Structures are given as C-alpha cells and as structure tokens.
C-alpha cells in the first residue's frame, strides 16, 4: 500500500462544533433537584437562521463541512442509551434508558437500527439547494448524542454526566450515549461524514430528523431552514486548515510522541490548532488519529478518543514507604484487543531501502473494576524511575502498593517522555502460532486514548490522562503518574521500524499478530488469563511489493 493510498484510507475523524451555551463538563451531575424526570421530550432546534461555512482545498479533504448549528434538545429527562455487544461474534444491541422520577425502565431499539458505536445512523436528513433552486446535496448523517453540547436553560445541570464522544474503535465493546436533561447536542457529524464538494456561493439548507426516529422518539416534525454562505479559504500552512470549529484536518500528528510537540509539528497525538480554552468539547476522534497529512511516528501526543486533552493526575508527593503489600481489594483487569489498521509500509520516517514492514495498531484496555495507577519516582541524576502500582479500597483510599519495574526516559524525536516498561508486547506468529518476529516496542506511556467499554462496573466516563502530551512527564520530571482507567484503553500505532514487523524475507502465508498485556506479569490484576489477543493475517506479494490480507475477526471486518 502506498503512502498516498494509506493516507487516504487513514483520514482523521475529528468532529468539533460550537457549544450551544456552555461547555460539556468533565464530571457526573445529578438531575435538577425537585424536578422529576420522565420520558424525554426531544426537539430539533437551530442556533441561527444563517450560517457561514468555509470551503478548504487540500489532498483528500477538499470541500465544505456541513456544521449547520442544529441541535437535539432533551427536556423532562435525559436521552440515554446503553450500547453493547456480548462479544465480537455478536451484533451491537442498543437500549434506551428511560428515567421517570426514581424509577428506571428500558426499551430495546429496533434490531439493525444501531450497527456500531458511532451513533444513531441515518438520524439527520440534510438537503442543500443553490441559488437557482437546484438540489446539490441530499444525504443522511449519523447523530452521536455525546456530541459537543451545552445547556439550553440556566437551571439545567451544570455538567453533563455523559461521555464526550461516541467511540469508533472497531473493537469497542460497550458505550453510553446521552443528552443531559435541559441540554442540547449538536447534530453535526463532522469528519464522520465527508465534506460536500460545492463552490463558494449562497445556498439554502434544510435539516430534519428522519421519519423513523421521529416516530421512535415522538419528535415533532419541525425541519429547520437556514441560509448558508460558502466562502473560499486558503489552507494555513502545510497540513489542514485551522478553524474555530476545531481546525478541520489541522492535526499535524498521529500516535507519535506520547510527548509534546510544537504547534504544526508532526508528533502524533493531535495538536488542536485554533482551539481556545473556551472551545467546546468536540465529538469523538476515532480509535487512532489518522490525519491524511501527518506522519505516523509511533506513540505521540494527539490520540484521544474524546479528542480532549484532559490533564494528567499528579503522583504522590513522595515514593511509598513502609512494607509493600498487595491487599485483597479490587484490581484492574488488563485485556488486549486484536490488532487493526494493518498494512504494509516501507518504514515511513525510518525508510530502509528494500525493506517491507507490517504496520498495525494495538490496544490494551482495563475492564476494571479498579483503575491501574502507576507512579514513577526518580533519584536525582538517574536515567530510570522506580515504578510502583497502588491499590485502593472501595472508598478510594490507598491501602497498599507494590514495586512494579521501572520507567525509562525515551529521548527519540516523537517520544521524549517517560515509558513504563513491560506494559505490553507485540509478536508475529507463524500459522502454528509459534513466535517468529517480536516488536522492539515494550515500553509505553499510559493514556486513556479510547473508550472501549463504558458499561463495565466502575467505568469512568470522564477519565484524566487522555493524551500522552499531558500524561507522560518531561525530561526534568522527578515523578510521573500514569493511569489506565476503568473502561478505557490505550492505542499505540506501530509504524516505525523496530516497532512494526520486518517481513521482508518472510515467506508468503498465514501469520498471526499477537498482542499481550502485562507480558511479564509484573502488574497485579484480577485475571491474568485474558491478556492475549490474536489477529490473523495473510502475507503475499514479492520483496519490495509485499501485500497483506486481513480476514474478518468474527463480525469485525476492519483490516
């Protein structure tokens, strides 16, 4: 696969919109006191009757993104859904959670209506007509209830209890969607949809909720008509344009330096150029930020499923003292997901003439019921930190600790942060599942990049440490706290030589990518028997032109 082809397939999926009044919060909130909740009354509203949109030019990104400022409001109770699948062999099932006073009931959505975790498919109908009356756009879009949102009345809860995004990792197992009572959620699908290729000019947009959802949720038929002005804009430097709506395509990064990068520098986790402190929390980024114009440098800042840069948690002021112990309290349960985003590369920034590398993305997540909390403490002048895993009782009080290896400073460009050693291991196995190639990547900075299953017990819908640029410390750091919260996972893209698998001289045939969590069993878990995942691949082609075919993994047909 050429870089151009791979970049076209691995396009970023940022969706960012202006909030209606206030920004979605980062902690749970109870309903307004004294007001009983009932089945929510939903409406489609428009923030304004006129909208100005920008048309940008760029490879694979030309066109106009239809952020029309329409919202779905919920009154009388929240609009809430639990979306799950039992396993990768089972379809996605969605049920609505209906709160009526102190009572809660559920109803299953019709089978096939929700096919993945990105939202309610075919929810919004958009038409766009030009000045002559010709219809130039007619399409439906998915609605993620967790989209950028805000209050529509001052007595609504100050913060939304729902997550800030709908996950798009192909191996997501469970999600929670919701529009808080008295809030509005943007219907804009952002980079989950494609831009429309229309020239600068004047248009009329009509936005409505499709009939099947109006009937399902008893929504009034109130389409919104807006005047739309499209203006031509020039890209601001190399890469994507920066805009007040989260800089469409402006992330010059991939999962590369789980470290800090300068604005516009290709480092990995996204740098959201043009986003101020008061910018709304945007909808989800996909499982791994794959902007078409960025370099895949390995494990850097910018990859976060919620596309927010949540701050890291501070480590304890001092390294633990007293006797180490592993008490009988809840512990994390680390699990691996099968690899995805699998392809053949020439090594990208580490090109070696004539070499073929099998590249992939991998994720280790925490099924709980307790977070994984690891502190590193450095003795002055030392190149390593001593790492400790902490244990907590049901009230959140620290009740024990255990030494668990080390953290090391990685000075390479695109990294430049502290890695916890032996967190995961990647291996390529023969058809008989015997090891043949091992990735050199076994040290990691932990970050909650992806929401894998927010329906598990104690899942944290608003985790900290969501981005490596906030979670992994600086070269001068004396201590670092790295956390993998319950329900979240950490995605690493393996694109660099030494991390990806060198398959130049391997014979054609069937292989397996093996992802192992906690390979040396240094971390204490509730279960050590679910740490390994396999993904079947078939290698073909000739040296310098190798190809890889990735069969479906049960119902997951993402390569």
């Amino acid at each position: 696969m050429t870089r151009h082809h791979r970049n076209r397939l691995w396009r970023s999926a940022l969706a960012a919109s202006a909030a209606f009044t206030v920004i979605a919060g980062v902690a749970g909130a109870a309903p307004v006191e004294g007001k009983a909740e009932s089945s929510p009354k939903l409406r489609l509203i428009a923030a304004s009757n006129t909208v100005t949109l920008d048309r940008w030019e760029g490879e694979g990104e030309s066109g106009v993104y239809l952020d029309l400022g329409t919202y779905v409001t919920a009154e009388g109770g929240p609009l809430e859904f639990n979306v799950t699948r039992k396993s990768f062999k089972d379809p996605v099932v969605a049920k609505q959670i209906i709160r009526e006073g102190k009572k809660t009931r559920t109803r299953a959505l019709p089978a096939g209506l929700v096919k993945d975790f990105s939202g309610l498919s075919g929810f919004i109908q958009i038409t766009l007509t030009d000045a002559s009356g010709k219809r130039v756009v007619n399409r439906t879009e998915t609605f993620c209830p967790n989209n950028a949102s805000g209050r529509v009345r001052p007595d609504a809860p100050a913060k939304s209890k729902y997550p800030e995004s709908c996950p798009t990792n192909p191996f997501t197992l469970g999600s929670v969607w919701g529009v808080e009572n008295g809030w509005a959620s943007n219907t804009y699908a952002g980079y989950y949809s494609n831009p429309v290729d229309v020239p600068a000019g004047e248009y009329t947009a009509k936005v409505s909720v499709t009939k099947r959802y109006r009937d399902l949720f008893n929504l009034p038929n109130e389409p919104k008509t807006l005047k739309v002005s499209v203006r031509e804009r020039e890209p601001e430097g190399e890469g994507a344009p920066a805009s007040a709506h989260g800089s469409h395509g402006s992330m010059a990064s991939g999962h590369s330096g789980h470290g800090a990068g300068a604005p516009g520098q290709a480092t990995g986790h996204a740098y959201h150029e043009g986003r101020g402190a008061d910018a709304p929390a945007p909808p989800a980024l996909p499982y791994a930020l794959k902007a078409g114009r960025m370099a895949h440098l390995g494990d850097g800042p910018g990859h976060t499923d919620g596309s927010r840069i949540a701050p890291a948690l501070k480590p304890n002021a001092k390294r633990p003292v007293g006797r180490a112990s592993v008490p009988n309290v809840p512990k994390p349960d680390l699990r691996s997901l099968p690899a995805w985003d699998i392809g053949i590369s020439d090594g990208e920034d580490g090109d070696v003439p004539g070499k073929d590398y099998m590249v992939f993305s991998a994720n280790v997540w925490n099924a709980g019921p307790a977070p994984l909390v690891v502190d590193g403490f450095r003795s002055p002048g030392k190149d390593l930190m001593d790492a400790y895993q902490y244990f907590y009782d049901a009230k959140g009080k620290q009740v024990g600790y255990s030494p668990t290896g080390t953290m090391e400073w990685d000075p390479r460009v695109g990294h430049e942060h502290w890695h916890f050693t032996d967190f995961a291991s990647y291996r390529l196995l023969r058809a008989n599942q015997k090891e043949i190639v091992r990735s050199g990547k076994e040290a990691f900075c932990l970050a909650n990049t992806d929401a894998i299953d927010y329906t598990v017990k104690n899942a944290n819908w608003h985790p900290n440490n969501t981005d490596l640029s906030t979670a992994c410390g600086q070269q001068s750091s004396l201590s670092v706290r790295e956390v993998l919260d319950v329900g979240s996972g950490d995605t690493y893209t393996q694109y660099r030589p030494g991390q990806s698998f060198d398959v130049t001289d391997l014979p054609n045939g069937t292989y397996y990518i093996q992802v192992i969590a906690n390979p040396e069993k240094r971390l204490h878990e509730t279960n050590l028997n679910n740490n390994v995942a396999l993904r079947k691949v078939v290698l073909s082609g000739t040296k310098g032109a190798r190809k890889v075919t990735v069969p479906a993994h049960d119902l997951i047909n993402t390569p």
Side-chain angles (χ1 to χ4, degrees), residues 296-320:
H296 296 291
L297 297 182
D299 69 336
H303 270 175
T304 166
D305 193 21
S307 85
R308 61 203 183 281
I309 308 295
L313 297 170
K314 293 183 178 180
N316 285 336
K318 297 179 180 179
R319 68 176 63 213

Side-chain angles (χ1 to χ4, degrees), residues 79-87 90-97 106-110 112-121 143-146 162-163 165-167 169 171-178 217 451-456 461:
L79 175 66
E80 182 176 330
F81 303 93
N82 267 29
V83 190
T84 60
R85 58 180 164 208
K86 294 180 181 178
S87 73
D90 297 289
V92 175
V93 175
K95 61 182 179 181
Q96 184 181 1
I97 312 299
T106 65
R107 67 164 176 168
L109 297 193
L113 191 66
V114 173
K115 299 178 181 179
D116 56 29
F117 295 92
S118 63
L120 299 167
S121 61
F143 169 56
C144 168
N146 296 345
Y162 298 106
S165 63
C166 292
N169 187 308
F171 291 99
T172 300
L173 288 162
S175 185
V176 177
W177 304 337
F217 299 126
I452 301 301
D453 192 347
Y454 276 7
T455 68
V456 297
W461 298 351

Side-chain angles (χ1 to χ4, degrees), residues 12-16 191 240 246-275 282-291 294-295 299-310 449 466-470 491 493:
S12 167
L14 174 66
Y191 280 160
S247 34
H248 289 308
S250 68
M251 293 68 64
S253 50
H255 207 243
S256 62
H258 258 231
Q265 178 182 351
T267 57
H269 279 100
Y271 175 84
H272 299 298
E273 188 177 0
R275 293 182 55 77
L285 288 181
Y287 44 83
L289 182 63
K290 302 179 296 294
M294 72 187 181
D299 69 336
H303 270 175
T304 166
D305 193 21
S307 85
R308 61 203 183 281
I309 308 295
T449 65
T466 58
D467 186 88
L468 301 169
S469 63
T470 68
T491 290
T493 51

